[in-house]
Every structure is written in C-alpha cells, then in structure tokens.
Amino acid sequence: MSDILLEKSNIPEALVRKLQLQYGEGAGGILAAFEKERPVTLRVNRLKADEERVMSELARFSPKKASFYEDAFILENAKERDVEETALYQEGCIYLQSLSSMLPPLFLEPKSGESILDMTAAPGGKTTEISALSGGGALITACERDKFRFERLKYNVEKQGAPRVTLLNEDARNLSPYFRFDKILLDAPCSGSGTISPDHPVKWSEKLLSKCVSLQRALLSKAFSLLKSGGTLVYSTCSVLREENEDAVRSLKGAKLVPLEPPEGVPLLPSQEGTLCVAPDGLFEGFFVAKLVKP
Ligand code: SAM
C-alpha cells in the first residue's frame, strides 16, 4: 500500500498498519474500498411479499438480484430515502440491509420448529431474516442489551411481521444458564473495520478494538454454554481483523469448525480455512462468518 494513500485518508494509522500486517499487499484494496459508496440493497421479506410484487413496485429503481441469495436485491438508482417512501417499505415487505449482513442467517440454515437465539440482535435485520428463512416457524429468542436499540428491534420485528419471537432487553452474558438452543447466531459487537465508507464516520480505535475483543470472547463462551449438544453456532462480525474473527473463534475450546461453502459472486479475503471473510468493495461490506458445532 502506498504511503500516498495513507496520507490522504482519514483512516487511523494503527488500523492501516494492522491491515498491512494481516493482508500485506491486499490492504490496498481494503483501504480503497473504504472510499467507495455502496448502492442501496434490500431483502424481500417473504413473510409479507413475493418477488413479483417487489419487482413491479420498485421497477423504477431497476432492481437487480444478487447472485448469492434470491431474496437480495441491489438498487443502483435509488437513495435510501426514496425506498423508505414506498408502500413496500412502510408495510414491512422489504428490509434495507447490506448484502454481507444477509450471509450469517443463510449459514445458520434456520428451520421451522427449531429454538434459535439471536444473541445481540438489534436493530433486527438478522432476527427478521432468520424468521423469514424458517417460514415464520422458528422459535426465536432475540436479545439486546441497549434500551434504545432494543426498541428498534421490537419495532422492526413487529413491522416485518415475524412471529414466535421472544424479545429480551438484557446483557446476553447474563442469560439464564438453564436455557438451551438448537442454534445460536452471535452477530457480535465489533470495531466495524469492514464497514468504513464515506457514509459511515470512522469510529475505529485501538481502545474500541480491545474492548470488542474481550466482549466477543465472553459472548462466544456464553453462546457455546447455551447450545444443545449437536447444536450450531454462527459467529459473525463486520470486521476484517483477525483479532475479532479467527482469533476469537480459536479462543473457543471444544467447538468443531464447519467449513463454509463460498457463496456465489461474493468477494473474499484470505481467512482461516473453513471461515469466510468478505472483502469490502463497491458492493459488499467487509464481514466475517464462522460456523461451529458443539459436539
Ligand atoms: N444482528 C443485528 C442486525 O443484524 O440487525 C446487528 C447487531 S450489532 C452488530 C451488535 C449489537 O449487540 C448491538 O445492538 C449492541 O448494542 C448489542 N450488544 C452489545 N453487547 C451486548 C451484550 N452484552 N448483550 C446483548 N447485546 C449486546
């Protein structure tokens, strides 16, 4: 990565150095992606609408289907505000969501009748996706610590018409040790190193990183303790840093890593075998996903 790029950017130098250390020459591509604005993307909420209605009502924005997921659409010609004014949006038939953020629920493969914990759930993009993927049949517990974000979660779950969702406004580290779930999604709070863009002010700092790293490990260990034997845990972050991703997964003793199939058309960074790290670019945010099973 050239020093010219580093001088021009408002990315903290410590983050640039970390990216260079981890990705070598590849760091240049990540830093270049931080300068790009991504188009509006959305997920069709199958609990309320079908593709035909969405395509016809959003036709003026020329929606294009993403290659990896039939419910994901890219609107090159729209601003979020334009979409928010549509009846589809107001009725909860669509959910504005980044493409990368749609991946963890897909790897969780939620089925009707399963008990599923979404451990750090607000504002609810993945809770409502899990519900839709299970046809509304999964028994979901969605937990969120922050009071204000919890209200957003509640609003979105109701608006998207996701049934069988129990909402808990508490610190997931304090969940009852007697709970047991078939599947858990831990979409962990993170430093956000994958989501930097002209629209997102940079909030990354070394202090934030180290706070996230210890919280992620505590949440992972709690998640593992709440899984039934044979249960599945999907761990994700919107960071591309090894400390928050592979190192966090490695810190969990006794879990078996399930290799993930790279989804079609999703750009990837090198990551530990079996895990996926989405490369940020003009379409995708940087994102990490790992799937673990409790023997
Ligand atoms: N999965 C969400 C979605 O797709 O809409 C995004 C989750 S966001 C990456 C992480 C969330 O974890 C934040 O809302 C944050 O307030 C919450 N959080 C942080 N620490 C927590 C804890 N100890 N227990 C529960 N929630 C927590």
Side-chain angles (χ1 to χ4, degrees):
M1 217 261 323
S2 80
D3 281 344
I4 299 164
L5 187 51
L6 175 55
E7 272 165 35
K8 276 200 303 187
S9 109
N10 64 343
I11 311 301
E13 203 177 314
L15 174 57
V16 176
R17 299 287 171 223
K18 272 186 184 296
L19 292 171
Q20 287 173 327
L21 200 66
Q22 183 173 341
Y23 294 107
E25 300 253 303
I30 299 172
L31 289 161
F34 291 166
E35 309 291 330
K36 293 183 181 155
E37 279 181 37
R38 285 178 273 273
V40 172
T41 54
L42 61 86
R43 176 173 54 78
V44 175
N45 176 14
R46 297 274 174 182
L47 298 171
K48 285 200 166 185
D50 57 20
E51 186 183 323
E52 208 180 328
R53 179 175 169 202
V54 172
M55 289 300 259
S56 101
E57 292 188 30
L58 296 181
R60 67 183 185 280
F61 302 124
S62 323
K64 268 200 245 103
K65 202 181 269 215
S67 51
F68 69 97
Y69 181 21
E70 59 180 4
D71 292 348
F73 287 86
I74 303 153
L75 309 184
E76 298 280 359
N77 307 329
K79 297 258 174 278
E80 281 198 1
R81 252 183 85 187
D82 302 331
V83 181
E84 284 164 6
E85 280 165 8
T86 64
L88 276 176
Y89 179 85
Q90 284 161 15
E91 290 167 21
C93 299
I94 53 176
Y95 190 92
L96 291 172
Q97 191 172 353
S98 81
L99 294 180
S100 304
S101 144
M102 298 179 199
L103 290 169
L106 294 176
F107 288 120
L108 195 67
E109 300 180 80
K111 307 273 183 320
S112 185
E114 287 175 342
S115 58
I116 300 182
L117 172 65
D118 187 356
M119 203 167 179
T120 53
K126 298 183 190 67
T127 308
T128 53
E129 185 180 343
I130 291 168
S131 179
L133 284 168
S134 74
L139 310 165
I140 302 173
T141 302
C143 180
E144 168 59 44
R145 173 174 69 173
D146 183 90
K147 178 75 189 134
F148 178 77
R149 291 178 64 89
F150 177 79
E151 292 305 323
R152 285 307 297 172
L153 169 67
K154 195 167 155 208
Y155 172 82
N156 282 326
V157 165
E158 280 165 14
K159 184 172 174 182
Q160 301 281 305
R164 301 182 182 87
V165 182
T166 303
L167 297 166
L168 300 176
N169 181 201
E170 61 177 290
D171 188 321
R173 290 170 293 184
N174 300 333
L175 286 170
S176 163
Y178 299 109
F179 279 136
R180 284 296 174 273
F181 297 93
D182 296 310
K183 292 181 175 172
I184 297 179
L185 172 64
L186 173 53
D187 183 41
C190 73
S191 73
S193 70
T195 61
I196 295 171
S197 77
D199 300 334
H200 281 75
V202 182
K203 60 168 188 173
W204 193 94
S205 68
E206 286 188 279
K207 195 170 161 207
L208 176 64
L209 175 65
S210 74
K211 210 172 125 193
C212 290
V213 164
S214 52
L215 183 53
Q216 288 154 356
R217 279 157 175 70
L219 288 167
L220 256 174
S221 145
K222 179 71 184 186
F224 200 57
S225 75
L226 297 178
L227 258 190
K228 287 182 186 169
S229 175
T232 299
L233 167 63
V234 168
Y235 174 75
S236 56
T237 73
C238 57
S239 177
V240 293
L241 295 175
R242 187 186 293 137
E243 291 99 312
E244 301 184 85
N245 298 338
E246 287 98 328
D247 291 355
V249 169
R250 215 174 288 121
S251 74
L252 192 60
K253 301 292 168 231
K256 198 169 149 275
L257 198 62
V258 180
L260 297 177
E261 200 59 46
E264 197 189 324
V266 177
L268 296 176
L269 288 166
S271 66
Q272 186 189 335
E273 210 179 324
T275 66
L276 288 180
C277 193
V278 179
D281 67 5
L283 193 52
F284 287 85
E285 290 179 334
F287 223 90
F288 175 81
V289 194
K291 184 168 178 171
L292 301 148
V293 162
K294 185 171 181 170

